[in-house]
Amino acid sequence: MGTKRRMGEVKTAIVSLLLDAYQRRDKVGLVTFSGAAATVALPPTGSVETAVRRLESLPTGGRTPLAEGLLQAADVLRIAAIRDPRRRPLLVLVTDGRATQGEKAFARAKQAAGWLAMQGIASVVVDCEPRRGVRLGLAAELATDLGAEYLDLGEVAAGNLVRAVTDRSAA
């Protein structure tokens, strides 16, 4: 039940980000990662309707190939930068930080995050780890490795995601 509620909060935050992006004529893409692979669920687009439709069917649960997701996102951003070099790419990573697919999964995710930071990709990490119980703080670690702004999902619900993304995009 907690996972479904958190995913609802995440989707609400992403929709607000999409609406802001639409108003600024930005493009938004979506990379999902589960099982053993990452998938480009939505190539960069200016269509809020398309993005919202894709969000509705987002699966939750299962293994998390976080490193593969980060590398897939980097590839999407690289291609977008080639297509429109005037736009500054921004990665918004929504995660609890738990990398659970493959050997040394979290170490590989940290390595991928460091590589993204070296590429100069601006990032925001939204931590969707449950607020109750033991918190591991893995998303905060990834934010540090990415050189990203870190937001807790509770802060995002308060409307700070759009501000954080706007600030990172302008930097």
Side-chain angles (χ1 to χ4, degrees):
M1 187 62 150
T3 301
K4 284 187 179 186
R5 184 184 52 74
R6 277 194 321 279
M7 275 309 290
E9 290 176 16
V10 166
K11 289 177 183 182
T12 298
I14 292 172
V15 168
S16 70
L17 179 62
L18 289 168
L19 292 171
D20 181 68
Y22 176 76
Q23 291 170 353
R24 292 185 294 130
R25 303 284 191 254
D26 286 343
K27 292 186 177 188
V28 177
L30 179 64
V31 174
T32 60
F33 39 97
S34 65
T39 305
V40 178
L42 177 67
T45 180
S47 171
V48 174
E49 295 83 19
T50 302
V52 169
R53 261 185 280 135
R54 298 283 175 97
L55 279 174
E56 287 173 356
S57 63
L58 260 182
T60 60
R63 308 303 279 168
T64 305
L66 189 51
E68 290 77 4
L70 288 168
L71 295 174
Q72 182 69 61
D75 195 45
V76 169
L77 293 173
R78 181 186 61 78
I79 291 167
I82 290 170
R83 289 186 176 151
D84 189 351
R86 295 168 296 154
R87 292 189 187 269
R88 185 166 184 256
L90 174 71
L91 170 66
V92 178
L93 176 63
V94 181
T95 184
D96 61 5
R98 291 185 172 116
T100 58
Q101 175 61 38
E103 257 187 68
K104 299 181 182 178
F106 189 65
R108 287 186 300 108
K110 287 176 64 70
Q111 184 178 22
W115 183 82
L116 281 161
M118 288 191 325
Q119 303 307 306
I121 295 175
S123 306
V124 175
V125 173
V126 178
D127 186 349
C128 60
E129 183 174 36
R131 292 178 211 117
R132 296 181 183 170
V134 177
R135 290 183 57 104
L136 302 177
L138 300 175
E141 270 189 63
L142 285 171
T144 299
D145 293 334
L146 280 164
E149 180 163 350
Y150 170 84
L151 295 173
D152 184 86
L153 185 57
E155 296 171 14
V156 171
N160 293 333
L161 178 59
V162 170
R163 179 201 48 78
V165 167
T166 303
D167 290 352
R168 279 287 174 166
S169 294

